[in-house]
Amino acid sequence: EKGGYPHFMLKEIFEQPRSILDSMRGRLVAENTQLTMSSIREYANRFKNAERIIIVACGTSWHAGLVAEYMIEELARIPVEVEYASEFRYRNPIIREGDIVIAISQSGETADTLAALELAKSKGALIFGVCNVVGSSIARATDAGAYTHAGPEIGVASTKAFTAQVTVLTLISMMLAEMRGTIEASALRQLMMEMEQIPSKVEKALELDAEVQVISEIFKDATNFIYLGRGFNFPVALEGALKLKEISYIHAEGYPAAEMKHGPIALIDENMPVVVIATKDSSYEKVVSNIQEVRARKGRVIAIVTEGDTVIPQMAEFVIEVPSTHEALVPLISVIPLQLLSYHIAVLRGCNVDQPRNLAKSVTVE
Ligand code: F6R
């Protein structure tokens, strides 16, 4: 059942080229710039005129929501707010009829996410679901939705569900941009062509496994980790830190790289591993300065960079090179080595990676 892998988590990490493809199947044909998602078309007018999109989710699904915030605002120019479902539902949120609420959930059973969408529904918002489990409670409670089609996820730590969520949300962002006329045809086509190449680039990123394993050996006894990223990679930093805490029980914090100087920089010394996602994108130069700040305090930098980078290898102690892609699609690639890092560190520490202590696959309690 684990397909030859020692753990479900590793199997699911390696399934991603396939699961991402499954999430796109029948929905994206770059050659003729064709995007198909009937549930979006069905509510085309609501989406076209949406005043605001509110995303509600928990945990890793909330991180996928953050990626979507950057993407929808950039491509479709609709204001987006991303909310922890548990906070949203208890604070008398302002919801208007022109609002669209997107609920993201792998299991489709998360109690807080379900309650948040019920609340929004009672106030007249259109509710759209992005779920993995077909027929789940959240999927049934929504007005419309798109399944992620990642297949069953058994490992408690979410991996392929995250990349499938980001994939579906990317397609939604592209459709909204097309419908609202906020993207040029040639730019859209280019983005779609890049998207079609993601599965093979993820395949390539998975070849980093042995390299990541070596780095994991070196840092397996660390007691703390910091993860930094900016822009589209900020949610990836949060996700990398969450993966590590969940399965290895190492304390880890994810931060937007520029926030470091407002506090967390005080934590940096020669014992602090700092994972910096520093791919070539619009915030690259800024992230390079952040790496220098960490180095100046003797922090141990593990940098995720774009293939061919010649600058960061001279500054970071360890460098992991990932294939380049469109800036908006980078999270689908940059998250892969972080999943592998948490997996290997947890295994080396003798942890139960598929069933970490105190965690359940579906959180059906508040
Ligand atoms: C992280 C993880 C949790 C879930 C969260 C939401 O690896 O598994 O943080 O992401 O409990 O679950 P779903 O997506 O099922 O609503």
Side-chain angles (χ1 to χ4, degrees), residues 57-63 104-111 113 130 138 153 155-159 161 165 239 242-243 246-247 359-363:
C58 305
T60 288
S61 298
W62 184 80
H63 296 156
I104 309 173
S105 176
Q106 186 286 129
S107 64
E109 301 298 341
T110 301
T113 308
V130 175
I138 293 173
E153 189 178 63
V156 164
S158 190
T159 53
Q165 288 164 344
E239 175 60 6
L242 179 63
K243 287 289 89 89
E246 282 183 290
I247 59 168
L359 293 174
K361 188 67 189 159
S362 306
V363 184

Side-chain angles (χ1 to χ4, degrees), residues 73-288:
E73 291 200 345
E74 169 80 24
L75 302 177
R77 308 303 294 153
I78 304 172
V80 179
E81 281 166 38
V82 190
E83 306 273 357
Y84 284 119
S86 57
E87 286 298 315
F88 178 81
R89 60 178 288 211
Y90 287 114
R91 69 147 202 266
N92 195 13
I94 298 162
I95 302 162
R96 303 183 205 97
E97 289 202 0
D99 289 342
I100 293 177
V101 171
I102 301 181
I104 309 173
S105 176
Q106 186 286 129
S107 64
E109 301 298 341
T110 301
D112 281 320
T113 308
L114 182 58
L117 77 81
E118 297 283 11
L119 173 68
K121 202 177 186 178
S122 73
K123 299 197 177 197
L126 174 75
I127 316 292
F128 192 91
V130 175
C131 295
N132 194 42
V133 177
V134 176
S136 54
S137 304
I138 293 173
R140 283 183 282 123
T142 51
D143 297 305
Y147 283 113
T148 44
H149 299 304
E153 189 178 63
I154 313 288
V156 164
S158 190
T159 53
K160 66 172 180 171
F162 172 77
T163 48
Q165 288 164 344
V166 172
T167 298
V168 167
L169 292 161
T170 303
L171 302 187
I172 291 173
S173 310
M174 291 195 246
M175 281 187 79
L176 298 184
E178 187 183 37
M179 284 167 22
R180 291 166 55 87
T182 49
I183 192 168
E184 284 191 19
S186 58
L188 179 63
R189 187 153 188 274
Q190 183 62 35
L191 186 58
M192 290 172 68
M193 277 160 41
E194 282 290 340
M195 191 65 207
E196 274 186 343
Q197 287 178 38
I198 290 293
S200 64
K201 290 183 180 177
V202 168
E203 190 85 62
K204 242 186 130 199
L206 288 166
E207 290 169 11
L208 297 162
D209 190 43
E211 215 176 296
V212 173
Q213 207 168 340
V214 171
I215 297 173
S216 306
E217 290 272 359
I218 296 164
F219 291 101
K220 69 179 196 318
D221 297 318
T223 48
N224 293 284
F225 260 81
I226 293 178
Y227 287 72
L228 302 175
R230 293 174 89 118
F232 285 98
N233 280 320
F234 158 51
V236 178
L238 298 184
E239 175 60 6
L242 179 63
K243 287 289 89 89
L244 189 70
K245 318 183 227 217
E246 282 183 290
I247 59 168
S248 74
Y249 317 138
I250 296 175
H251 171 240
E253 303 222 26
Y255 260 94
E259 268 296 299
M260 190 179 60
K261 58 182 169 299
H262 300 287
I265 197 162
L267 294 167
I268 296 174
D269 62 13
E270 67 280 7
N271 298 314
M272 181 65 87
V274 184
V275 178
V276 188
I277 308 139
T279 49
K280 281 259 167 70
D281 54 36
S282 51
S283 35
Y284 175 76
E285 304 293 338
K286 299 272 178 201
V287 179
V288 168

